Amino acid sequence: MQPDTPLTWLGLTTTPLELVSFALAVLTVWLNIRQNHWAWLFSILSSLLYAAVFADARLYGDAGLQFVFVAVSVWGWSQWLRGGEDHRPLQVSRLAARGWTAMAMSWLAGWLLLSWFLRHYTDTDVPHMDGFLTAGSLAGQFLLSRKKLENWLVWIAVDVLYVGLYLYKHLTLTAILYALFVLMAAAGWRSWRRAAGGNGI
């Protein structure tokens, strides 16, 4: 069976490639919630497979994003293991006010740049949404790599919007995956908030 051959799984039309990517992505987030550094290995594998899934759906921003995820995952793996004080494992921390501002400005700049590029240089039919969510995903991945608690808030916002985008693109299994991600991100927020100490946002 070819990786892009349609098949039916639990009543949904999908492909073997999307199905394997789905499983690896769920495992990645579950390990992230548990602060297990092996999450980054499965993140790399899932990203490489999803790059092919998204390219086939003409979601070029998301496809390109997967290769950035691979690079960030290598860096994140190193950060989690040796990015803390005295090269010790990184601990969960919170964003300062300056960090919130930097994240928002970076997200906005990335959105404008990616939307322009996707609109003028690809045949995607959703350049603005693809660009917005790609930029937001980059912000979330960077915060996750630095074990910032607020990464989960970014992922909740991004994943909710991704559900709608993937339903529009008829990637039903992936839409279900991102709905699951919303729930997992909420669980990650609660777990990491306890690790960071305190109950406030």
Side-chain angles (χ1 to χ4, degrees), residues 12 26 30 33 57 84 91 95 118 126 130 139 144-145 152 161:
L12 300 172
V26 170
W30 181 75
I33 293 171
Q91 300 300 311
L95 273 181
L118 292 168
V126 286
D130 197 4
L144 176 64
S145 297
W152 296 112
L161 294 174

Side-chain angles (χ1 to χ4, degrees), residues 39-180:
W40 296 107
L41 172 61
F42 294 102
S43 176
I44 291 168
L45 296 174
S46 176
S47 295
L48 290 172
L49 294 180
Y50 258 121
V53 172
F54 292 143
D56 186 60
R58 294 191 300 155
L59 290 170
Y60 303 115
D62 284 328
L65 176 64
Q66 303 310 307
F67 294 104
V68 178
F69 276 175
V70 170
V72 174
S73 293
V74 172
W75 178 70
W77 201 347
S78 173
Q79 288 294 300
W80 278 32
L81 290 174
R82 294 183 295 275
E85 294 184 5
D86 299 323
H87 302 290
R88 294 178 179 177
L90 198 61
Q91 300 300 311
V92 175
S93 61
R94 296 172 182 269
L95 273 181
R98 176 185 289 182
W100 277 101
T101 301
M103 181 193 67
M105 295 303 294
S106 298
W107 192 340
L108 176 61
W111 177 29
L112 295 175
L113 180 63
L114 287 166
S115 294
W116 174 84
F117 178 84
L118 292 168
R119 182 181 178 189
H120 290 92
Y121 293 101
T122 75
D123 63 348
T124 182
D125 57 339
V126 286
H128 301 301
M129 182 60 76
D130 197 4
F132 180 78
L133 295 179
T134 298
S137 296
L138 287 171
Q141 192 75 349
F142 176 81
L143 295 177
L144 176 64
S145 297
R146 290 298 301 159
K147 271 198 177 179
K148 293 298 182 182
L149 171 64
E150 293 79 7
N151 89 87
W152 296 112
L153 298 179
V154 173
W155 286 122
I156 289 170
V158 167
D159 292 342
V160 166
L161 294 174
Y162 264 133
V163 171
L165 178 61
Y166 293 143
L167 286 174
Y168 173 75
K169 282 293 186 175
H170 306 294
L171 294 171
T172 307
L173 182 60
T174 301
I176 292 172
L177 170 65
Y178 275 73
L180 178 60

Side-chain angles (χ1 to χ4, degrees), residues 22-43:
F22 175 102
L24 289 174
V26 170
L27 180 58
T28 295
V29 177
W30 181 75
L31 291 172
N32 279 333
I33 293 171
R34 298 174 63 86
Q35 299 185 53
N36 187 312
H37 69 88
W38 289 108
W40 296 107
L41 172 61
F42 294 102
S43 176

